[in-house]
Amino acid sequence: MIIPCIVDSHCDSIQPAAEGKQPLVNPYNYSQKYPQLQFVAFFCGWPKEDARASYERAHRYLEALRVSVADESQNLALVKSYADIEAAFAAGKHAALFSMEGATGLCGSVEILREFYEAGLRVTGLAWLSNDLAKSNRVISDGEEDTGLTLTGREIVAEGNRLGIIFDVSHLSDRSFWDLAEIAEKPIIASHSNFRSLCGHSRNLTDEMAREIIRRDGMIGLNLCKSFISDDKSRQTAEGLFDHLDHCLELGGEDHIGFGCDIDGIESYPEPLTLDRSVHEQLIDVMTARGYCDRLIEKVAYRNWMDFLKKYL
């Protein structure tokens, strides 16, 4: 089996890096064996944080990303296009792609969206908590009415379409998902979500949602959060995670599934994963032991995301 690189569509490591707690590149979140692309998620929708504070947070993260890339210039590159990713990998470097998790920090402004696009933003979710753009999937647990995308949210999507932004549905409410699916011009992605048929958490996709992503040539990133893997704690393991891969295959999604591990965004990792070496390499080991063929392992580890990005980034 030849794995020339690894891709992970959701990593929260910029926050501890910005706070000076750890460097952006760690042994567990970036592979030591393979060049790796991470979607570096800027979390911009902190509870009780207003839009301006979220905007300022995004700028702190952006500066931390720039500093990290400068400090790791021999090993890490900031990328904005597929050609940038290829160039980074050809130079033996890891790659970091600026994404946004919850767009409260856009302050409902298409001008601010353009500002972040110029800085490298290529992937964004509209809401983590419900905001002035969209409802989040917390409406299910909070008992809030699901009113979907707002007029301002639709304006942001229209400008994102013009710029070529890829929209991420992982934290959107069910109605917001379908509103976005109707108007987004590029295929939509769920950067870090599993499947609600196997685990009932509202953060997971219904089969109808998953089929829509697959139909539109989008992507789904498998999430390591144990409460998104199974309602049965005994199945909240790496093995349980790959039950979700099997389910995706049953839905016809072999070419639309990859890693979206939520590294540094979750409190603990499913057994037997540890933080003493690359989580992704360990997942490949689990897949090999589970008996998946080399071709499928390669698709999940990198090929599906790389094919998607070549067409749509």
Side-chain angles (χ1 to χ4, degrees), residues 6 22-23 51 60 68 84 91 106 115 119 135 183 192 196 206-207 218 222 228 234 259 301 313:
I6 289 175
Q22 63 184 34
R60 290 196 300 273
S68 295
D84 288 347
L106 297 180
E115 172 193 339
K135 292 295 185 180
I183 61 176
H192 57 307
R196 214 177 289 177
T206 66
D207 286 356
L222 293 167
F228 303 163
S234 70
F259 292 144
L313 184 59

Side-chain angles (χ1 to χ4, degrees), residues 76-139:
L76 181 66
L78 178 62
V79 296
K80 299 180 182 181
S81 67
Y82 186 79
D84 288 347
I85 298 169
E86 286 189 310
F89 286 171
K93 294 183 179 183
H94 297 311
L97 180 71
F98 172 11
S99 67
M100 188 170 283
E101 183 178 20
T104 302
L106 297 180
C107 303
S109 166
V110 294
E111 289 80 10
I112 291 176
L113 177 61
R114 293 183 202 124
E115 172 193 339
F116 283 125
Y117 178 83
E118 288 300 317
L121 179 66
R122 294 295 183 269
V123 177
T124 189
L126 294 173
W128 189 80
L129 294 176
S130 297
N131 57 20
D132 63 340
L133 306 180
K135 292 295 185 180
S136 84
N137 44 35
R138 289 196 175 205
V139 298

Side-chain angles (χ1 to χ4, degrees), residues 6 13 22-34 36 38 72 94 263-264 274-282:
I6 289 175
S13 300
Q22 63 184 34
L24 179 62
V25 178
N26 284 284
Y28 61 87
N29 69 354
Y30 272 97
S31 173
Q32 302 301 300
K33 293 173 63 176
Y34 314 108
Q36 182 169 323
Q38 287 279 23
E72 297 270 357
H94 297 311
I263 287 175
D264 282 335
T274 66
L275 298 184
D276 59 357
R277 69 182 183 97
S278 165
V279 167
H280 307 90
E281 293 173 19
Q282 294 176 71

Side-chain angles (χ1 to χ4, degrees), residues 138-262:
R138 289 196 175 205
V139 298
I140 294 176
S141 57
D142 293 348
E144 185 180 355
E145 183 182 0
D146 187 359
T147 53
L149 267 60
T150 66
L151 177 60
T152 302
R154 291 172 181 273
E155 291 171 349
I156 290 292
V157 174
E159 180 62 13
N161 285 339
R162 189 189 70 79
L163 293 170
I165 294 285
I166 296 166
F167 286 100
D168 181 2
V169 303
S170 276
H171 283 282
L172 289 183
S173 70
D174 290 6
R175 181 169 174 183
S176 294
F177 174 101
W178 291 109
D179 286 349
L180 177 62
E182 183 178 355
I183 61 176
E185 293 182 358
K186 285 188 175 181
I188 52 179
I189 69 169
S191 66
H192 57 307
S193 294
N194 298 331
F195 297 91
R196 214 177 289 177
S197 288
L198 274 66
C199 177
H201 200 289
S202 64
R203 274 281 284 103
N204 288 336
L205 300 165
T206 66
D207 286 356
E208 188 178 11
M209 291 173 180
R211 289 191 183 99
E212 178 68 8
I213 292 172
I214 292 165
R215 183 189 69 80
R216 295 193 53 173
D217 203 28
M219 282 290 296
I220 300 163
L222 293 167
N223 190 322
L224 294 179
C225 181
K226 290 191 284 189
S227 60
F228 303 163
I229 293 174
S230 180
D231 299 317
D232 178 356
K233 289 188 177 181
S234 70
R235 291 299 296 170
Q236 293 178 349
T237 62
E239 282 284 337
L241 175 70
F242 290 116
D243 292 343
H244 289 266
L245 172 58
D246 293 342
H247 186 69
C248 188
L249 299 179
E250 292 171 0
L251 296 175
E254 179 177 330
D255 297 329
H256 303 275
I257 191 76
F259 292 144
C261 294
D262 211 356

